Amino acid sequence: QEHPRPEYETTLLQKKLKNKNITTENSNEDEKEKLTWSDRMPGYAANFGLILFMVMLTFSAVFGVIVYRITTAAALSFSTNETTRSNVRVTVTATAVIINLVVILILDEIYGAVAKWLTEIEVPKTEKTFEERLILKAFLLKFVNSYAPIFYVAFFKGRFVGRPGHYVYVFDGYRMEECAPGGCLMELCIQLSIIMLGKQLIQNNLFEIGIPKLKKLFRKLKDERTEPKEMDTNQSKDPQQWDLDYILEPFTGLTPEYMEMIIQFGFVTLFVASFPLAPLFALLNNIIEVRLDAKKFVTELRRPDTVRAKDIGIWYNILSGIGKLSVIINAFVIAVTSDFIPRLMYQYAYSKNGTMHGFINHTLSYFNVSHLKAGTQPENSPFAQDVLFCRFKDYREPPWSQDPYEFSKQYWAVLSARLAFVILFQNLVMFLSVLVDWMIPDIPKDISEQIKKEKSVLVDFFLKEEHEKLKLIESFIARDKQKHESGTKGKRIRAASFCQFNRSQQGSFASFSSRHTEV
């Protein structure tokens, strides 16, 4: 049975004190009173508004990094240094990913504190409800913060750039960034690897030891300032163990440890198709973190209070949700981000000899350079002769067709094949997961048989005990019957003798009374 939190009891008491109709006599009604929706509505409204604001803040940070990429790429393209101009894409990608990593680390710490404060103003009744709501808020904010830049590169970058002659511009002067000629898969791999490794190295390892040490030092300095040392001759020079334990940082729960593993599980499963080495790096990180956590729990934190728990709670639902979401996301990464489906379609539908020869030419469309808008033409052409047509990567109709620059039939065929692959891949993986779950039971067969044997032994033991008790009760009942029968026989004998004695007494009394009347 879970008891209400002190904060909940305090809020409930304040509500009772405000209500003037309640008196001290109706104590039974006071026990039934609880916080209603109207009492919690300000907290729910604050939660909704602040969570929405922080999600928009994360998207704003991602958009800010996009603007940085666009402006920096434009600035480096005008550089006089040939090396700088040739490495524009690598420079912009590397610096943008590092900025993303720093923003993620900062916002993670802010979101953790804000999620705790938002849960407190909701005033949950029990400690379990408090933990579940805190975990949901912190996971939602940190999930969006950690994966928003990766989702952008995987599914949105290069999708809204327009086409030659009709490009999409930002701030009326900068073109939207697009993927490399080979696609966004390599950039997604770079982004995922740097963010995952940097987050694990800095947040999961350095912060694991550094932050408790800093807090311990701060607490020690604070205690020395607030409580001046008193000279006591009886006190030993060496500090006692309880003094050393008091200096340690209090244990705040396992939620941060679980959160690290959940976010890492997301990095490993959600985009494993683009970064297959993610599980290996996660394994190496966990081997190191096991020892760091052991050192932290033994030397840096106070001893935790033991709490009985049935299972890992809401974390299992979060893990299950990430597992199902990872199937869908990896299907879209393979179908949309990579060139797997276009290559497959070309080989089996458009290639004349069933090979990949001519695939690049098939993915390029024609554009008439005379259709460029004024002021957007290249200033210096590297070609000696005038160019009439250029090629760009897209499935569009040529300029001499009836619908120039519209999406071609190949575009819609590839799009339908991509969607069909997503549906087929998702259902196939889900079916295999259900099949494996059915084939491999949660409890092994030998253990289940052992449990059945133990239950049968217990049932036999209890039946034997009940049978012995029944025999004992029957023996007691038989003895009572025998005693009762012997007692009734004795009563009958005593009653017969008493009747004879009574009759003799009655005769003597009658003779005495007759004599008395005669007198």
Side-chain angles (χ1 to χ4, degrees):
Q1 182 181 2
E2 294 192 44
H3 300 284
R5 298 173 63 246
E7 293 82 358
Y8 178 85
E9 294 286 348
T10 304
T11 308
L12 189 60
L13 181 61
Q14 292 174 355
K15 178 186 176 182
K16 293 177 182 178
L17 293 176
K18 288 181 181 179
N19 193 353
K20 297 179 180 180
N21 297 327
I22 297 177
T23 60
T24 56
E25 296 180 357
N26 53 358
S27 59
N28 294 329
E29 295 180 2
D30 290 348
E31 294 177 359
K32 296 180 181 179
E33 188 174 356
K34 60 182 181 179
L35 297 181
T36 60
W37 273 89
S38 59
D39 300 323
R40 300 176 186 271
M41 189 55 67
Y44 290 153
N47 271 265
F48 179 77
L50 281 176
I51 289 176
L52 185 61
F53 169 76
M54 286 184 286
V55 170
M56 296 306 296
L57 178 63
T58 303
F59 291 158
S60 301
V62 175
F63 182 73
V65 175
I66 295 171
V67 173
Y68 164 79
R69 288 181 178 183
I70 295 172
T71 54
T72 306
L76 293 178
S77 299
F78 288 102
S79 176
T80 56
N81 191 351
E82 182 64 28
T83 306
T84 304
R85 290 199 306 270
S86 60
N87 296 321
V88 169
R89 190 176 295 277
V90 177
T91 305
V92 171
T93 301
T95 54
V97 172
I98 293 173
I99 293 173
N100 270 326
L101 176 62
V102 174
V103 171
I104 287 172
L105 295 178
I106 295 173
L107 291 181
D108 262 354
E109 301 300 324
I110 296 174
Y111 288 167
V114 172
K116 186 176 181 180
W117 179 74
L118 288 175
T119 311
E120 289 175 351
I121 65 175
E122 277 189 15
V123 196
K125 184 175 181 179
T126 61
E127 197 66 33
K128 181 180 179 181
T129 309
F130 179 85
E131 286 292 331
E132 288 180 353
R133 295 185 181 182
L134 173 62
I135 289 168
L136 279 178
K137 292 180 183 62
F139 173 72
L140 173 64
L141 295 174
K142 292 188 177 184
F143 181 89
V144 175
N145 182 40
S146 299
Y147 302 125
I150 303 173
F151 270 93
Y152 164 73
V153 175
F155 304 118
F156 297 101
K157 184 177 180 181
R159 310 291 173 188
F160 309 101
V161 296
R163 59 172 179 81
H166 197 271
Y167 283 116
V168 177
Y169 290 89
V170 182
F171 303 122
D172 296 332
Y174 297 96
R175 271 174 50 186
M176 280 293 293
E177 61 175 349
E178 49 189 331
C179 297
C184 285
L185 193 63
M186 183 55 66
E187 186 174 349
L188 175 62
C189 178
I190 295 172
Q191 178 119 354
L192 182 62
S193 60
I194 293 178
I195 290 178
M196 178 182 174
L197 297 179
K199 190 176 174 62
Q200 289 182 351
L201 178 64
I202 298 173
Q203 192 175 38
N204 297 4
N205 294 333
L206 295 182
F207 287 2
E208 289 282 338
I209 300 299
I211 291 181
K213 285 186 177 294
L214 292 177
K215 288 183 178 180
K216 178 181 175 182
L217 179 62
F218 179 75
R219 283 171 56 85
K220 186 177 180 181
L221 295 176
K222 185 178 179 181
D223 292 339
E224 289 178 355
R225 290 181 181 178
T226 55
E227 299 177 2
K229 294 182 179 180
E230 297 180 358
M231 298 300 295
D232 190 358
T233 56
N234 297 326
Q235 188 178 6
S236 61
K237 295 182 181 180
D238 295 332
Q240 298 295 327
Q241 185 62 41
W242 54 80
D243 294 326
L244 298 176
D245 292 341
Y246 178 75
I247 298 174
L248 298 177
E249 181 68 19
F251 180 69
T252 56
L254 290 173
T255 300
E257 305 294 333
Y258 273 111
M259 190 65 69
E260 291 176 5
M261 294 295 102
I262 294 295
I263 297 298
Q264 183 194 84
F265 181 71
F267 279 119
V268 170
T269 57
L270 292 178
F271 299 96
V272 68
S274 62
F275 186 41
L277 290 177
L280 176 62
F281 286 112
L283 176 62
L284 296 177
N285 171 78
N286 292 343
I287 292 173
I288 298 171
E289 191 169 355
V290 164
R291 306 315 311 160
L292 292 179
D293 282 342
K295 179 178 176 57
K296 181 183 71 172
F297 274 86
V298 173
T299 62
E300 303 296 338
L301 297 178
R302 297 178 188 174
R303 182 179 296 174
D305 296 329
T306 56
V307 179
R308 187 184 297 272
K310 182 180 178 181
D311 47 25
I312 62 175
I314 197 172
W315 293 111
Y316 178 79
N317 298 328
I318 293 175
L319 283 171
S320 178
I322 292 178
K324 291 179 175 60
L325 183 63
S326 65
V327 176
I328 302 173
I329 291 178
N330 280 290
F332 274 101
V333 168
I334 297 172
V336 177
T337 309
S338 69
D339 286 336
F340 176 73
I341 299 300
R343 289 175 178 274
L344 212 62
M345 284 287 295
Y346 177 77
Q347 184 176 0
Y348 292 102
Y350 298 106
S351 178
K352 296 179 180 180
N353 52 5
T355 63
M356 295 302 299
H357 182 72
F359 169 72
I360 299 298
N361 186 48
H362 176 75
T363 59
L364 298 178
S365 300
Y366 287 91
F367 177 74
N368 193 340
V369 295
S370 62
H371 295 163
L372 286 171
K373 293 183 179 179
T376 61
Q377 298 90 345
E379 295 181 356
N380 299 318
S381 176
F383 303 103
Q385 57 183 0
D386 294 336
V387 177
L388 298 178
F389 295 97
C390 67
R391 310 291 297 273
F392 63 99
K393 188 176 181 180
D394 206 348
Y395 292 101
R396 292 183 180 270
E397 296 289 343
W400 55 81
S401 65
Q402 295 180 354
D403 300 317
Y405 309 125
E406 295 294 331
F407 289 117
S408 61
K409 294 180 180 179
Q410 289 85 355
Y411 172 83
W412 299 111
V414 171
L415 180 62
S416 60
R418 284 173 168 170
L419 296 178
F421 173 81
V422 169
I423 297 172
L424 181 63
F425 182 84
Q426 176 189 352
N427 288 282
L428 179 62
V429 174
M430 291 296 182
F431 171 75
L432 291 177
S433 64
V434 172
L435 181 63
V436 171
D437 190 16
W438 175 74
M439 293 176 62
I440 304 175
D442 296 335
I443 302 176
K445 188 176 181 180
D446 54 346
I447 295 178
S448 62
E449 290 179 355
Q450 187 176 356
I451 292 173
K452 289 179 181 179
K453 289 181 181 179
E454 289 179 357
K455 287 182 179 180
S456 63
V457 170
L458 286 175
V459 169
D460 293 339
F461 176 76
F462 285 131
L463 289 175
K464 187 177 180 181
E465 290 288 330
E466 292 295 329
H467 188 62
E468 291 178 356
K469 287 180 182 179
L470 185 60
K471 285 183 178 181
L472 188 61
I473 292 171
E474 288 178 352
S475 64
F476 284 143
I477 292 173
R479 290 178 184 177
D480 289 340
K481 284 182 178 180
Q482 291 177 1
K483 290 181 180 179
H484 183 69
E485 290 176 358
S486 61
T488 52
K489 289 180 181 179
K491 287 180 182 180
R492 288 174 183 174
I493 295 171
R494 289 194 296 271
S497 61
F498 178 76
C499 290
Q500 294 176 0
F501 174 76
N502 194 11
R503 288 173 183 173
S504 64
Q505 291 290 333
Q506 286 178 357
S508 62
F509 180 75
S511 62
F512 176 77
S513 60
S514 62
R515 293 174 186 176
H516 180 72
T517 53
E518 291 177 356
V519 174

